[in-house]
Amino acid sequence: MSSYREDRRADRAAERAQDREDRRLELEATQQREAARAEEKRKDAEAKRRQEQAEKKAKLAEQAAKKAAAAAKRAKLIRWLKTNPATLFVAFVMVASIVPAILSQVGALTGASVAAPMAGLLAAMLEGGAWAITFMGKQAEDAGREPRKYRIGTWAVAAVAAAVNFWHGLEAYGEHPWVAFVLGASSLFAIYIWDLKTHGSNGKTKEQKQADKARRAHLSARRKHHPQIVEQAVKLQAALPYGVLDDESAFAAAWRIHTGAEPGLSAQLYATATEAVLQLGAAFELGDSVRDELLETGFKAARLNPFPELTQTPGSQTGIGSDTGEPPAEKSRETGPRGRSDEELNALLPDALTAAADLIAEGKQISATGLAKKLQIRREDAVVLRDRVIEQRRLHVA
């Protein structure tokens, strides 16, 4: 019996302990749920605060951007006004000219028993028509088209409007004829100012005009001196699709067809240049053979020159010494053996021909000095060999 009671007490104690544990767990769960809700509320409040701050910053940034844009526009307008004062005054003068012109035309048409609404429309037609054609011409010019016909139309309509205003001025202010001229000019002055602004200030510069003039002179000279080549160039351009071959390329191609050489050169020019080189070479040959005599003659002439301070002496011209005018010291005559015999020179002729070919390959003239250096012989012998080499080469060419 006592055992049953003890077991019963133990069961009740366990039940009470389990109830206490259940209540504790339930309380902890409740506390966790409340903490989670509080944390969620805190996060929501923090997110809302951050969103409000971001919206406030974005609004402030937008306001700052608008202020900056407005300031930039004002600064741009101020800069434009500073850099384009002429445009501002042109606009003012044009308005001051157009408004009186329209009012004068309305008065003229109304005075001619035309109803006021119709008079206003007709006046707007004249002045507005002139400006409509003006702006059409500007648009055509910007697109690269010829604006001449638009300018003619503008001035024609403006002239009609000026005539109407002039007639009205004579009728209304007969005692002051100058007013009629002013009213007539009011229809023309604005057009004239616009024409100066768009065409005068944006016209070609002095350098561009000079370049155009030089280009026209060049083309005229080309047609004058090379008419056949110019004609051939035109034919080449006509044979190909438009724009494929420009003027310079066509002329260069025509030149090559007619002359076989690059532009500016021809067979005649090559022949002239070759002949000049040969003549220069002959002059060098002559000068090389009589160099001592030429120098001696030059020094004698320098001693007899009455104006030595105005001219250079032969020494300074030839680069062989100072310009004191003193002749070079006489060279001591060589006392060695005389020149080689004809047999020895004939034996050296093959070597001399080879040496001459080497000189030509090096771009030099066949001279006695060059042969003497190549063959290591006396200059007197080299002079004879040079003459024989030149004769041999002439015979070979012939």
Side-chain angles (χ1 to χ4, degrees):
M1 187 69 179
S2 60
S3 176
Y4 172 76
R5 289 175 179 172
E6 291 177 355
D7 293 338
R8 183 66 178 170
R9 285 197 295 273
D11 292 339
R12 289 178 179 175
E15 289 177 358
R16 288 193 294 273
Q18 183 65 38
D19 291 339
R20 288 195 297 273
E21 180 66 19
D22 291 341
R23 287 195 295 274
R24 185 184 69 79
L25 293 175
E26 185 178 357
L27 180 61
E28 288 182 354
T30 302
Q31 291 176 347
Q32 289 178 356
R33 287 194 297 271
E34 291 178 354
R37 284 196 294 269
E39 180 65 20
E40 185 176 358
K41 289 181 179 180
R42 186 189 67 79
K43 289 181 178 180
D44 291 342
E46 181 67 20
K48 184 177 181 181
R49 184 181 64 82
R50 290 179 179 177
Q51 183 178 2
E52 290 176 352
Q53 290 180 349
E55 291 177 352
K56 185 177 180 180
K57 288 181 179 180
K59 187 175 182 180
L60 292 175
E62 184 179 359
Q63 292 176 353
K66 290 181 179 179
K67 291 181 179 179
K73 288 181 179 179
R74 288 194 300 271
K76 184 177 180 181
L77 178 61
I78 292 173
R79 286 196 303 270
W80 185 87
L81 292 175
K82 289 182 177 179
T83 56
N84 299 277
T87 303
L88 180 63
F89 286 108
V90 165
F92 172 76
V93 172
M94 288 173 62
V95 172
S97 175
I98 294 172
V99 173
I102 293 178
L103 295 178
S104 175
Q105 290 172 27
V106 171
L109 295 171
T110 304
S113 301
V114 179
M118 185 178 294
L121 292 175
L122 291 176
M125 178 195 71
L126 287 175
E127 291 293 333
W131 285 105
I133 300 174
T134 298
F135 292 133
M136 289 168 62
K138 184 65 170 62
Q139 186 177 9
E141 186 176 8
D142 293 339
R145 299 193 301 272
E146 176 59 45
R148 184 183 303 274
K149 62 181 181 180
Y150 295 98
R151 297 180 68 184
I152 294 174
T154 297
W155 283 104
V157 177
V160 174
V164 172
N165 286 335
F166 180 73
W167 170 79
H168 174 64
L170 290 178
E171 290 287 334
Y173 310 98
E175 67 277 11
H176 301 292
W178 61 270
V179 177
F181 286 99
V182 174
L183 290 176
S186 64
S187 293
L188 299 175
F189 193 69
I191 300 294
Y192 178 68
I193 291 293
W194 171 270
D195 206 43
L196 286 180
K197 181 65 177 65
T198 55
H199 298 286
S201 60
N202 298 329
K204 293 183 178 180
T205 62
K206 182 178 179 181
E207 291 75 11
Q208 290 174 335
K209 292 180 180 178
Q210 291 177 347
D212 291 341
K213 183 178 179 181
R215 187 179 299 107
R216 289 193 298 270
H218 176 263
L219 293 176
S220 177
R222 175 175 285 181
R223 296 188 187 97
K224 177 181 177 181
H225 297 292
H226 310 289
Q228 294 180 348
I229 297 179
V230 172
E231 183 180 358
Q232 182 64 52
V234 173
K235 291 180 180 179
L236 289 176
Q237 288 179 308
L240 295 174
Y242 176 76
V244 172
L245 199 61
D246 57 45
D247 294 342
E248 292 300 327
S249 299
F251 185 82
W255 186 282
R256 296 187 185 97
I257 291 173
H258 277 265
T259 65
E262 290 301 309
L265 298 176
S266 64
Q268 292 80 6
L269 291 176
Y270 279 122
T272 302
T274 303
E275 180 65 22
V277 171
L278 292 176
Q279 292 180 1
L280 182 62
F284 278 127
E285 291 291 338
L286 177 61
D288 186 70
S289 62
V290 295
R291 183 172 182 271
D292 294 337
E293 291 81 354
L294 288 175
L295 288 177
E296 181 64 24
T297 302
F299 282 115
K300 289 180 180 179
R303 286 196 296 270
L304 299 175
N305 185 7
F307 305 105
E309 68 277 3
L310 300 180
T311 57
Q312 290 181 322
T313 62
S316 62
Q317 292 174 356
T318 55
I320 61 173
S322 63
D323 55 356
T324 59
E326 294 295 328
E330 286 288 335
K331 294 182 180 179
S332 59
R333 298 291 182 181
E334 297 181 4
T335 58
R338 299 183 65 182
R340 299 172 186 263
S341 63
D342 289 341
E343 291 78 8
E344 292 173 333
L345 293 175
N346 288 331
L348 284 174
L349 184 57
D351 295 335
L353 290 170
T354 303
D358 293 339
L359 288 172
I360 294 175
E362 295 171 3
K364 300 178 181 178
Q365 300 293 330
I366 303 175
S367 63
T369 303
L371 291 177
K373 290 180 180 180
K374 289 284 187 181
L375 301 176
Q376 297 295 316
I377 60 176
R378 293 164 58 89
R379 190 174 180 282
E380 289 79 358
D381 297 332
V383 171
V384 179
L385 280 176
R386 180 203 60 195
D387 296 337
R388 294 186 181 183
V389 165
I390 294 174
E391 184 65 25
Q392 287 289 330
R393 292 175 65 84
R394 289 176 178 172
L395 292 174
H396 178 70
V397 172

